[in-house]
Amino acid sequence: MKRAVAVLCILALPALSGCASSAPARQQAGRPFDDVRRLTVVVSGESQFNVVEHSAEPGRTFDALLKWSRYGTLLKPIAGLVHQAINWLMASDSKTDAAGDLRDVSPSQLVARAFEETVRASGRFEEIRTLGREPVGDDRRRDDVVVRLTVPAWGLVRVSDGDPGLLSAFADVRAEMIALDTGTVLWKNDEDVTDSERLPLKSFTGDRPLTRQRLIDVLQRAGRRMANELLYARSAGR
């Protein structure tokens, strides 16, 4: 019996060694941009200023009237379109009033400046610079990666109902880090930043210096937050 067990063990050894050799070795995942030392920030894309109110009127009034009409079911889709059209016109007027003193404000440049200052202060990169276009030629060959920053939308957004409703400044910011030699996306992030200050629309349209400062503040905050996300991703190996 003992001899049979010994024979079985000898026969099983090659199979076990084969399984051991075929098992993949565990490797620690490297940080995707841990070796990046030079960082170029590229500001790109268009920025759209918006006033997003999401008003319930006149739709609420339309609904109340249609309840008493025999044609309410047929007229409801038309009332919905009228509601959208009126809100669009109101938003257009509000947008014009609120944006009157913002012609010299570049949202992308403000975000990029705050982003660059935050990253530079961290000391994590040897060199960082911001460009208004993609690097080309020799200028491109000197860089390891580029971070493309865009601000698709910014402006004022309704944050609470009531009479009057309250609005806050907001900024929608996106970033993407690209390896120039391969075109690989090493990191990307989206930030929707809303100001903590909540005010009626009339406060924004009636006090343009206030509106300007709230919007600048939220854009700078978005740039700092995006930079901190990048620094965290680099240190955490994400």
Side-chain angles (χ1 to χ4, degrees), residues 3-187:
R3 183 178 299 174
V5 172
V7 171
L8 288 174
C9 291
I10 294 172
L11 292 175
L13 283 175
L16 292 174
S17 62
C19 292
S21 61
S22 62
R26 297 184 61 182
Q27 296 180 352
Q28 185 177 0
R31 295 169 182 171
F33 51 96
D34 189 49
D35 58 345
V36 172
R37 294 292 176 264
R38 295 188 301 273
L39 197 63
T40 295
V41 181
V42 176
V43 179
S44 61
E46 297 293 327
S47 297
Q48 182 69 41
F49 183 87
N50 292 316
V51 177
V52 187
E53 287 203 73
H54 303 303
S55 177
E57 291 293 350
R60 187 178 299 162
T61 302
F62 287 160
D63 288 342
L65 293 173
L66 290 175
K67 286 181 181 179
W68 301 100
S69 173
R70 69 175 68 180
Y71 303 108
T73 303
L74 295 175
L75 294 175
K76 189 172 181 62
I78 299 175
L81 293 175
V82 173
H83 179 197
Q84 293 178 16
I86 292 174
N87 275 340
W88 181 83
L89 290 172
M90 293 173 61
S92 297
D93 291 340
S94 301
K95 175 179 173 180
T96 301
D97 292 339
D101 196 31
L102 299 170
R103 293 180 181 85
D104 62 332
V105 174
S106 171
S108 298
Q109 290 291 344
L110 282 171
V111 169
R113 191 176 306 141
F115 179 90
E116 178 180 339
E117 290 173 354
T118 304
V119 173
R120 189 186 304 279
S122 73
R124 303 280 185 85
F125 296 89
E126 295 176 0
E127 181 183 342
I128 178 171
R129 60 176 182 159
T130 300
L131 302 177
R133 56 170 179 77
E134 292 281 338
V136 295
D138 292 337
D139 200 28
R140 185 180 182 87
R141 284 188 286 272
R142 70 182 292 278
D143 292 323
D144 301 320
V145 300
V146 295
V147 175
R148 294 175 184 146
L149 275 179
T150 60
V151 185
W154 64 301
L156 305 174
V157 62
R158 190 183 186 102
V159 293
S160 69
D161 293 327
D163 189 18
L166 301 180
L167 290 83
S168 293
F170 81 94
D172 176 15
V173 183
R174 299 173 188 174
E176 191 175 64
M177 177 185 283
I178 308 292
L180 290 178
D181 56 346
T182 63
T184 303
V185 177
L186 302 177
W187 170 81

